[in-house]
Amino acid sequence: MKDTLIKFKQHPKYSTILNWSKLISVTGGAQILLQAIGFLSGILIIRLLPVEEYALYTLANTMLGTMTVLADGGISTGVMAQGAKVWKEKEKLGMVLSTGLDLRRKFAIGSLVVATPILIYLLYHNGASWLTTVLIVLSLIPAFFAALSDTLLEIVPKLHQDILPLQKNQVAVGLGRLLLTTLTIFIFPWAFIAILASGIPRILGNIKLKKIAHQFADKDQKSDPVIKSEIMQMVKKILPGAIYYCVSGQITIWLISIFGKIESVAQLGALGRFAVLLSLFNVIVGTLIIPRYARLIEEKALLLKRFIQILFLLAILMCAFTVLTYLFSDQLLWILGENYYGLRDELVLNIAGTCVGLIGGVCFALYTSRGWVINPVFSISISVISIAAGAFLFNVGSLYGVLLFNLFLAAVQVVLHGGYCLIKIINIK
């Protein structure tokens, strides 16, 4: 036994396996804690908010995601790609970060102008009073402004694989949200209070996040026109797709809010709480895999091998997650409360769609981290055709139908982005 252990330690892959085990245990452990905290906060909100208030909360959070994507427009992808080239040089990395933050602030104005009227319409259409609508819109401001910087600031420690401080900060933000939610939602069961309880801790967490990022990126550097031009070249290619994904990514909520009942909006939002648990895999991939894939040398065999390894492992994990959801669907629905009993098939469909969508998102992240950008005309055309076909095939006015529609769209995206990434790798000379 002792000889076997010695041989194992002497194996050339031993140090690599040990290093990855440590990284995954640190990242995975923190993310399990973080997701558990977020899940508890979400369940509190689901159980304590009336169905109508939770429907409005779901619409507001959906629009927050849209606003964040519009304010990014591919900037974070550009910062990752440019930062990967100079990640060892503090001053140059500082210039990349400053340039990205400057662009984000400018894009935020356009995002607000576009998204706010749509949110106001959706809230009013689903029975919110004008006072409630204004309060919900104002409550989104802290979370939105936090989102402008936190995803860019996180790129710096991710490139340096300085994971532990980043995870500690995320856990602190999650605990802050849980504490505020617990203290407020029992007394004030309103959607805008729950949104504020989520946004305020993110603002405070960004103060710490800046300190973490500035250890590796010079905070005194200014926006650089050359780097700005490089990032904008990528933004011009990604932005049309990002605008489309703002619509397609939230289309299930929008369709059910317009053509369905307000109870269906709340049910879709509640079922989505379990899908949030999948962000554990997304964060691990985004923190450990994507930055390392971005740093790989331009070698066809190596890139293809890593691409297949990542997708194969991810597919196994997603299948396992879906099967477990099916086996324990009754117990999971009990957690949500009596308003959501009887949604067993819908729960499994929602998880399956999210799993497939996550795989498509990872494919997209893999090739954009290399600076590859699919022709937006082609990708949007394929996606629009798939939306039209899905709307024809499925009853988007019902919860079950809109979840089938979502699964169909996610499958198309896997084929589109996975195929494009594979083609780009194969064409490397």
Side-chain angles (χ1 to χ4, degrees):
M1 182 67 181
K2 186 176 180 181
D3 292 339
T4 303
L5 185 60
I6 292 172
K7 289 180 180 179
F8 179 71
K9 289 183 177 180
Q10 291 175 344
H11 194 279
K13 294 290 186 180
Y14 174 75
S15 59
T16 302
I17 294 171
L18 183 63
N19 184 48
W20 271 100
S21 298
K22 289 179 179 178
L23 283 171
I24 292 174
S25 63
V26 170
T27 306
Q31 282 304 312
I32 289 172
L33 177 59
L34 184 61
Q35 294 306 319
I37 294 168
F39 186 72
L40 285 174
S41 300
I43 295 301
L44 271 176
I45 294 169
I46 291 172
R47 281 185 165 270
L48 295 176
L49 285 184
V51 171
E52 293 76 11
E53 284 289 326
Y54 188 71
L56 300 179
Y57 173 84
T58 299
L59 288 172
N61 268 322
T62 301
M63 190 55 66
L64 176 61
T66 299
M67 291 162 64
T68 303
V69 172
L70 284 176
D72 181 76
I75 294 171
S76 60
T77 303
V79 170
M80 173 67 83
Q82 294 300 313
K85 298 175 184 178
V86 297
W87 67 280
K88 294 182 179 179
E89 303 175 62
K90 187 173 182 177
E91 290 186 359
K92 291 185 178 180
L93 188 56
M95 282 192 287
V96 173
L97 180 61
S98 295
T99 304
L101 290 170
D102 181 59
L103 286 171
R104 268 279 182 92
R105 286 188 286 268
K106 294 174 181 176
F107 274 54
I109 298 172
S111 175
L112 286 170
V113 170
V114 171
T116 303
I118 298 173
L119 176 59
I120 291 172
Y121 166 75
L122 290 175
L123 292 172
Y124 189 72
H125 178 76
N126 283 276
S129 66
W130 281 112
L131 176 60
T132 300
T133 299
V134 170
L135 288 173
I136 288 176
V137 171
L138 291 177
S139 69
L140 285 174
I141 292 174
F144 176 63
F145 278 98
L148 293 181
S149 57
D150 59 9
T151 50
L152 293 184
L153 291 169
E154 287 177 358
I155 289 174
V156 176
K158 284 180 181 179
L159 284 171
H160 282 266
Q161 293 294 279
D162 188 36
I163 306 303
L164 189 57
L166 181 60
Q167 301 290 355
K168 287 181 178 179
N169 188 60
Q170 290 174 336
V171 169
V173 171
L175 286 171
R177 181 196 177 197
L178 178 59
L179 178 62
L180 270 181
T181 300
T182 304
L183 291 175
T184 57
I185 203 72
F186 281 99
I187 305 171
F188 308 106
W190 300 317
F192 77 94
I193 294 294
I195 295 167
L196 276 176
S198 176
I200 292 173
R202 290 184 66 179
I203 292 287
L204 299 176
N206 271 17
I207 297 173
K208 177 63 176 176
L209 187 55
K210 287 179 182 178
K211 295 178 180 178
I212 296 171
H214 291 155
Q215 294 176 17
F216 307 103
D218 188 353
K219 65 179 180 180
D220 296 323
Q221 294 298 316
K222 304 297 182 183
S223 177
D224 182 80
V226 176
I227 296 173
K228 179 180 178 180
S229 176
E230 292 289 335
I231 294 176
M232 284 304 298
Q233 286 298 319
M234 184 165 285
V235 168
K236 288 176 183 177
K237 295 177 181 179
I238 292 179
L239 184 58
I243 294 172
Y244 163 76
Y245 288 118
C246 282
V247 178
S248 65
Q250 316 295 347
I251 197 166
T252 52
I253 287 288
W254 291 0
L255 286 174
I256 204 72
S257 68
I258 294 172
F259 299 108
K261 301 176 181 178
I262 191 169
E263 291 82 5
S264 298
V265 177
Q267 289 170 346
L268 186 57
L271 294 176
R273 297 312 307 172
F274 294 114
V276 168
L277 297 176
L278 283 167
S279 60
L280 168 64
F281 301 105
N282 213 6
V283 170
I284 289 176
V285 172
T287 303
L288 300 180
I289 307 298
I290 302 301
R292 289 170 180 262
Y293 197 80
R295 284 159 41 185
L296 290 175
I297 59 174
E298 196 86 351
E299 183 181 306
K300 181 194 295 187
L302 178 62
L303 290 172
L304 181 60
K305 180 181 178 181
R306 294 289 181 262
F307 175 73
I308 293 172
Q309 287 174 337
I310 292 166
L311 289 196
F312 180 73
L313 179 59
L314 197 61
I316 291 174
L317 291 172
M318 294 303 99
C319 287
F321 197 90
T322 304
V323 170
L324 286 172
T325 300
Y326 173 77
L327 294 175
F328 297 99
S329 55
D330 290 336
Q331 291 82 356
L332 292 172
L333 290 171
W334 175 83
I335 295 173
L336 295 180
E338 60 183 11
N339 290 326
Y340 306 98
Y341 291 165
L343 298 176
R344 181 176 182 179
D345 292 341
E346 288 82 356
L347 173 62
V348 176
L349 266 180
N350 188 58
I351 292 296
T354 305
C355 286
V356 175
L358 189 148
I359 295 173
V362 169
C363 291
F364 177 80
L366 286 172
Y367 71 72
T368 54
S369 73
R370 302 290 306 177
W372 303 332
V373 181
I374 193 170
N375 187 321
V377 175
F378 175 73
S379 63
I380 293 175
S381 298
I382 295 296
S383 300
V384 168
I385 291 171
S386 67
I387 288 175
F392 176 77
L393 292 171
F394 307 108
N395 177 17
V396 294
S398 70
L399 180 61
Y400 188 84
V402 86
L403 288 172
L404 282 174
F405 173 74
N406 181 58
L407 178 59
F408 172 74
L409 294 185
V412 172
Q413 295 305 304
V414 170
V415 175
L416 176 64
H417 294 301
Y420 178 76
C421 189
L422 193 60
I423 291 171
K424 291 296 291 186
I425 294 170
I426 292 173
N427 287 338
I428 294 174
K429 297 179 180 179

